[in-house]
Amino acid sequence: MQLSQVIEQARQGDGKAREHISELLRERVVRTAGHYASLTGMDREDLQQEMWVGMLIGLQQVDVSIGDPLYYLFLRGKWRLLEAIRRSDG
């Protein structure tokens, strides 16, 4: 099955499709959250959770016909993580 089909199924709420996307992104999420946790002193798991929420929100908006949809989802998660860091400093 193509990635665009998996994303469309995940968008419609298919748990297996969402799990597949999670597996594809898990290592990057863990590594990114760990990096920012070490820089900020924030909890790594909290930052991971922020990333996952950002990616789930991005799942509703991703256009699979443009670029790499996994990279888009990752960036949406990272933006949410950075926003959480910014909020914690304010």
Side-chain angles (χ1 to χ4, degrees):
M1 183 178 308
Q2 290 186 353
L3 180 59
S4 60
Q5 292 172 313
V6 173
I7 288 175
E8 187 56 40
Q9 288 177 345
R11 188 187 323 245
Q12 295 173 5
D14 183 318
K16 288 185 180 185
R18 286 186 179 193
E19 183 62 33
H20 182 67
I21 292 170
S22 295
E23 287 301 319
L24 292 172
L25 291 168
R26 186 172 320 279
E27 184 179 327
R28 291 177 78 180
V29 168
V30 169
R31 189 173 55 241
T32 302
H35 172 74
Y36 283 98
S38 69
L39 291 176
T40 64
M42 294 179 70
D43 184 70
R44 178 182 52 84
E45 291 180 4
D46 287 347
L47 294 177
Q48 283 181 32
Q49 183 175 342
E50 290 291 340
M51 286 192 75
W52 290 121
V53 170
M55 285 188 265
L56 285 173
I57 292 169
L59 187 60
Q60 300 307 314
Q61 301 163 341
V62 65
D63 183 347
V64 296
S65 67
I66 301 172
D68 180 354
L70 286 180
Y71 187 65
Y72 174 84
L73 294 175
F74 172 76
L75 285 180
R76 287 299 302 261
K78 186 174 178 182
W79 294 337
R80 173 112 182 176
L81 172 146
L82 293 172
E83 182 64 25
I85 292 170
R86 189 185 68 77
R87 282 192 318 263
S88 75
D89 287 340

